[in-house]
Amino acid sequence: MKQLQFGKILIYLLLIVGAITMVFPFFWMFISSLKTAAEVNTTPPTLWPSILTFDNFIYAFETAPFARYFLNSVIVAFFNVVLTGITTILAAFAFSRLKFPGKEVLFSLLLSLMMIPFEMLIITNYTTIADLGLIDTLSAMIIPFTSSIFYTYILRNFFQSIPDSLYHSARIDGASNWKYLWKIMVPIAKPAIITILLLNAISSWNAFMWPMLVTNTTNNRTLPFGLYAFISESGVRYEVLMAASTIVILPMVILFLFMRKSIVSSVAQGGTKG
Amino acid sequence: MKKFIKRDIDKPKLTIRTFLEPLLFLAPFLIGIIIFTVYPFINVLLISFQEGYNFLSQQFLSYGLENYRMIFQDENFINSLKNTGIYMFTVVPISTALAIIIAVLLNQKIKFNGVFQTAYFLPMVTSVTAVGLVWKWMYNFDYGIINYLLTLFNVDAINWLNDPKYNMPALIIYGIWSILPFTIILLLSGLQNINEQYYVAARADGAKPFRIFRRITVPLLAPTIGLVLIINIINTSKVFDELFPLFNGRPGSAYSLYTVVYYLYDMFYVKWELGPAAASATILFILVFILTMIQLFIQRKWSNY
Amino acid sequence: MEININNLTKKFGTTTAVNDLSMTVESGKLVALLGPSGCGKTTLLNMISGIIPSTTGQILFDGKDVTNLPPDRRGVGMVFQNYALYPHMTVLENICFPLEIKKIPKKERRERAMELAKLVHIEDFVKRKPAQLSGGQQQRVAIARALAKNPDILLLDEPLSNLDAKLRIEMREEIRRIQRDTNVTTIFVTHDQEEASSIADSVALFKLGEIQQYESPNELYDNPANAFVADFLGAPPINKLYGVVKNRKFVLADESMTLDLEIPHSVEDGKQVLLAFRAETIRMNPEKVSTSATVKEIYTLGRDKLAIFNLGTKLVRGYVGEDIELAIGERVQVGFKQKGIFLFDAETGVRYF
């Protein structure tokens, strides 16, 4: 009995140490953002600001157009989610429910395309976006990402788990394929669709490399690249930088606190089956 | 249910309806894939083999291995392969080992599981760039919290970001932290798929916790571990976003920390050398391709577990 | 609405599920498609609904060719084996769905749905989701939904197979009642001969994609077209004795018994035959054809007494009147009534009498 108690305590101890390590950077970011410049640059560092200040946030918003970046990020994420959502739902429906010649071959071909790293494609995609005259526009961060094989694959699997009889029943009730998709299949698949859109929003929000390549002017930056550009343009003032980082990270943290279970389960699913 | 299975044997007749309707559903998706995945993929392969650019006609004269020859003679590219290799083969094993321990602990019947999970998984959804800047601050030579903690243990402060010797360790530590959540999630879901009865039986046989871990958990988790290793090797082979904020967009303080994707970015975006950029992109693809084949092989081999 | 099926065939790859089948379902009738699993009855139903396209042949609704129409344009209602209720909709929304598709005004469709809910006795549950209903209630909803758009034809695919025995009897009477009330031409698929016989106007008995017999349940029982029909219908199952014809008499295969049945001359001597007779056909102490039998076992089933007799070396079942006293091991004389005894060709199943 005593040994059991000791084991339990050890488990909690290890978990707590690990958890603190994982969360510490976020904690440190937030604490630093609330300190004055003088307090940030002192040794030993203080675990809690002696003078609590929100000036760093105000300064960040004043020196760089973080409000604009934030809005851009929201717009880009929104259109990414809506457009990817539509193409994914339509394609997943065709692959799970419609009959057409060459379906299986086309699908396995698409799955094999998932192996291609996006980094490989930037060279030509950049040229394509330039040819379309979209360099330094928000569209440049939306248009290349309207179709996702991975999300289509996940949603098709979910659609396939919906019994055939519901489809036949709806058809007999007079519904066309289109009506069936939007009135029956999509409402039933709502949890799966929401999770996919959530993952999509997260990756859109955090995207760094591509937005860096296709945006030149301050007006069209999204948060991560805007944040990065902030240091090269205003010099390193860590208390301000940490305030800016907090602005970028906070929305995702809030999202994660509310949707943890579905995010985690879809990551687990996608990881092991994709 | 059974009666509908036959339906699939039934070959669809090719009519306007069976052809046009699926096409309409697929068109928006396929257009995106063709323009932004299929076309650039083929195009990059072609570019990588083009050589002998003629400035007058603005055309390439022939196809050949010139670009590949060039990058393999480029010290930076050789360096990038080496660095990517070092990064992969330190980050992946260490993070996997740590993740196994954490996943096993999280899989115990513990209180506050939700709180712990939130703490461990949070870095997965946060911007690598923003968090990278936080690490940059923590690595700061004079006022960084990491050096302060080292002095508490009587270790001299390390110039993580400006001493080329410590650039790689700094990147690796951050890399491990950043890849852990994903790794833990996969392993935890693997653990949860292990039938409870094995543990009950082992405990009934009087096995001690560590023995249960070694003789039951590890062997049954082996397929998941294999999968996690490969997926993470694929992911770490593309290391770039982690590198960029730490060193102000440079590949390390002395330009010694090139990675394959950084080299690709550098060739393409900074130097505008499309041929070598495409060649390095193709090398990256071949790397990922081989790793994916290994992954599929592992999955198939273990799928009957 | 009258349904005509002309030379309909369905092939799945190399297997033929329905083979050159023709039948007519008269308007307003309740017809059962009966048969063992894999006999093609569900395939036929799915071809009538339009879920499965036919390979060759024709389906006519009131003379109109619907063979190539998709399901949404055939105007049929259908109840599925697992009910196929839309899980995200309430009962009322489920019943309203076909009307919603038809773009009928909201008020009107709610009124119609409530009417149907009353018809199938689920008016108290219309606000619930399907998962909150029992199997029988779900089935009522499925029927109401199938009837919502006023179909000319109602199709039911094994509608009772997911219910427990007591509910099954209750629901089949409900289906009969609802069909009578609405007078909709109804086809239902079942593998339960008792279910088919009890409520259908006519029963089409299937075997390997072909109709064996298509007549009223009584005709099928009293006048089976072949050995398969005789064997498939009736509980307890019909008694079967294999033997040969000798001098117009039936001789059991191992010659342990002979019956003087006055077999017609058309059946040659030496022909291998199957003698089949129902349990209620056995008579005690008959005047005519008789043979001796030993009582092996006696079961009392409510009012009836079912005895197992040794007839030659074979065992047969027979009902005996409640006034007749029997003892196990007793030797008795048994004979047969005119009705319910059949002779078939042992090989082809063709009936001689």
Side-chain angles (χ1 to χ4, degrees), chain A residues 8 12 15 18-19 22 25 32 40-41 44 90 100 119 124-125 147 152 164 171 177 206 213 228 238 271-272, chain B residues 7 17 21-22 25 29 40 43-44 109 111 120 125 127 134 137 140 143 148 177 231 248-249 264 269 299:
Chain A
K8 267 268 144 84
Y12 279 107
L15 277 175
M22 293 308 283
S32 303
V40 160
N41 297 319
L90 293 181
F100 57 91
E119 289 81 357
T124 305
N125 281 346
S147 304
T152 303
D164 283 356
R171 296 285 282 149
N177 279 325
N206 293 335
L213 299 183
Y228 173 75
Y238 279 113
T272 46
Chain B
R7 187 177 50 97
R17 197 190 161 74
E21 199 181 16
F25 277 96
F29 171 75
N43 196 243
V44 167
K109 285 187 188 70
K111 283 178 187 147
Y120 281 103
V125 298
S127 156
V134 176
W137 165 226
N140 186 278
Y143 304 110
Y148 171 73
W177 177 87
I231 293 176
N248 298 329
L264 161 60
Y269 197 68
Q299 261 172 322

Side-chain angles (χ1 to χ4, degrees), chain A residues 57-102:
Chain A
F57 287 89
I58 296 163
Y59 181 80
F61 273 107
E62 275 172 358
T63 38
F66 271 102
R68 175 82 226 181
Y69 297 162
F70 198 97
L71 184 69
N72 287 344
S73 278
V74 170
I75 293 170
V76 169
F78 174 79
F79 280 104
N80 264 331
V81 163
V82 170
L83 294 176
T84 313
I86 292 170
T87 63
T88 302
I89 287 169
L90 293 181
F93 175 73
F95 280 120
S96 65
R97 175 51 65 201
L98 297 180
K99 290 190 263 182
F100 57 91

Side-chain angles (χ1 to χ4, degrees), chain A residues 1-14, chain B residues 108-111 209:
Chain A
M1 203 56 213
K2 253 202 181 123
Q3 205 186 352
L4 251 172
Q5 284 291 343
F6 176 72
K8 267 268 144 84
I9 291 168
L10 191 69
I11 287 173
Y12 279 107
L13 209 69
L14 286 171
Chain B
Q108 308 296 316
K109 285 187 188 70
I110 48 165
K111 283 178 187 147

Side-chain angles (χ1 to χ4, degrees), chain A residues 99 162-177 179-180 182-189, chain C residues 49 51 53 70-72 76-78 80 82-89 94 97-98 100-101 103 145-146 149:
Chain A
K99 290 190 263 182
I162 297 173
D164 283 356
S165 58
L166 282 190
Y167 174 66
H168 296 309
S169 171
R171 296 285 282 149
I172 284 170
D173 284 345
S176 59
N177 279 325
K179 280 243 168 72
Y180 167 72
W182 295 104
K183 296 237 165 201
I184 310 288
M185 213 171 207
V186 168
I188 292 174
Chain C
S49 70
I51 292 174
D72 46 325
V76 301
M78 185 156 170
F80 290 82
N82 57 6
Y83 317 133
L85 298 178
Y86 309 128
H88 59 296
M89 297 183 186
N94 261 284
F97 184 73
E100 192 187 328
I101 295 289
K103 297 204 165 67
R145 186 181 64 186
K149 59 178 174 182

Side-chain angles (χ1 to χ4, degrees), chain B residues 1-10, chain C residues 12 15 17 38 43:
Chain B
M1 285 295 106
K2 190 184 69 204
K3 59 196 92 151
F4 288 117
I5 293 168
K6 289 180 186 163
R7 187 177 50 97
D8 291 328
I9 310 166
D10 193 28
Chain C
F12 294 108
T15 49
T43 307

